[in-house]
Amino acid sequence: MARSLANTVLKGIIGSHHRAATCRTLCQQGTIAYYSVSSDAGTHDDFKSISKLADSDISLKDVVEKDVKENPVMIYMKGIPEAPACGFSSLAVRVLKAHGVPIASRNILEDQELKSGVKAFSHWPTFPQIFINGEFIGGSDIILNMHQSGELTEKLKGATTSNTVKRDD
Amino acid sequence: MGVSKEDVEGILTSAMKPTHLQVVDTSGGCGASFEIEIVSEQFEGKKLLERHRMVNAALAEQMKEIHALSIKKAVTPSKWNPIPKVQEE
């Protein structure tokens, strides 16, 4: 469990834009060493070895909570934004990209425990899963629907101009 | 044994009492992928996310076997046949 958790974090959040800020924050927590993330960080060997997470009590819930708190637009998906591994994930990324916002992501195909953890966190059975300002938005159908209705534009305004975290309790 | 279109229809019909329900099997026969349009009074006053959650909850058991569930529409009867929208800005 601990090792897998470490992998979860070490595989890192892959942003379509530079996500150095996220990494730095993780670093400040003293959980992992600083690293810079490139677009192929998810598979880079450099990210597989360093870890103090094995000794920490960070849980998957904490990982997800942190992700969605620190990243205004967070997507848990199959594949990565540059190469989605599923049509639904691809659709969600395309919708978000159309709004020109920075997207942080994790590839749930790389980690079964992360996948289960995210599902448990959101009580949502499928992927992708999108969080905006810490609020669970839904999957690809919902994001497309909100895009078409104009609601997404409103939601994302807050995501780019404010760090306010709203909870979907 | 996979989940059939009829299974999904049956479950949603008894759980949601829909006035309109369309289930399309998009799996090409293996029964693991569906598109759904559902209209029900039970969605009244519920937000989009909540409406989707209701459908997911009804199909919770089947979701273990369903690979992909796309909810194209989950609306109330009043939203289903809307009077042509007059958008007032």
Side-chain angles (χ1 to χ4, degrees):
Chain A
M1 178 72 182
R3 171 168 296 178
S4 170
L5 266 175
N7 284 338
T8 298
V9 172
L10 289 173
K11 277 168 187 164
I13 296 174
I14 306 157
S16 64
H17 299 247
H18 297 291
R19 299 308 307 167
T22 301
C23 304
R24 207 172 297 125
T25 315
L26 282 172
C27 194
Q28 284 163 354
Q29 290 282 315
T31 50
I32 54 175
Y34 175 80
Y35 55 87
S36 63
V37 173
S38 61
S39 62
D40 65 345
T43 54
H44 202 289
D45 282 341
D46 283 358
F47 306 121
K48 287 177 181 168
S49 54
I50 34 166
S51 173
K52 290 179 189 168
L53 271 181
D55 301 323
S56 78
D57 58 358
I58 189 168
S59 75
L60 271 171
K61 184 168 172 285
D62 294 333
V63 171
V64 178
E65 232 164 39
K66 208 163 155 49
D67 281 352
V68 305
K69 191 174 161 189
E70 293 177 355
N71 299 283
V73 180
M74 180 75 210
I75 179 169
Y76 295 91
M77 61 181 287
K78 295 183 177 180
I80 58 173
E82 291 74 15
C86 161
F88 297 104
S89 288
S90 173
L91 172 64
V93 167
R94 269 184 292 147
V95 169
L96 289 170
K97 281 189 172 172
H99 288 262
V101 290
I103 308 165
S105 73
R106 282 189 193 272
N107 180 1
I108 55 96
L109 290 179
E110 287 187 343
D111 191 325
Q112 193 61 40
E113 286 187 6
L114 170 68
K115 185 179 174 184
S116 309
V118 175
K119 281 188 184 184
F121 183 84
S122 59
H123 307 289
W124 191 259
T126 54
F127 288 91
Q129 297 195 10
I130 298 113
F131 293 77
I132 298 176
N133 281 336
E135 179 189 357
F136 177 61
I137 301 299
S140 59
D141 292 323
I142 289 182
I143 205 82
L144 179 62
N145 200 303
M146 287 174 67
H147 171 68
Q148 289 164 339
S149 71
E151 209 182 325
L152 187 58
T153 305
E154 289 304 308
K155 277 270 185 235
L156 287 172
K157 272 184 191 166
T160 49
T161 58
S162 148
N163 289 322
T164 308
V165 176
K166 295 173 216 155
R167 292 276 166 213
D168 184 22
D169 286 325
Chain B
M1 184 58 208
V3 179
S4 72
K5 172 176 175 288
E6 288 72 24
D7 292 336
V8 175
E9 284 172 345
I11 289 153
L12 289 178
T13 299
S14 61
M16 310 294 306
K17 307 281 183 284
T19 56
H20 166 83
L21 174 65
Q22 186 183 331
V23 179
V24 180
D25 184 338
T26 52
S27 68
C30 72
S33 190
F34 300 96
E35 279 185 11
I36 294 174
E37 266 186 20
I38 183 165
V39 181
S40 170
E41 294 282 0
Q42 293 181 23
F43 293 137
E44 195 62 56
K46 300 278 200 291
K47 289 193 293 189
L48 181 62
L49 178 61
E50 293 171 297
R51 301 198 299 270
H52 278 236
R53 281 198 190 282
M54 289 166 75
V55 176
N56 286 337
L59 292 169
E61 193 58 33
Q62 288 68 34
M63 285 307 288
K64 293 170 190 164
E65 290 183 55
I66 294 176
H67 168 66
L69 181 72
S70 181
I71 304 170
K72 292 295 175 195
K73 281 201 169 65
V75 295
T76 55
S78 59
K79 292 272 172 62
W80 174 236
N81 282 321
I83 302 158
K85 263 189 203 165
V86 180
Q87 291 270 359
E88 287 180 349
E89 296 291 330

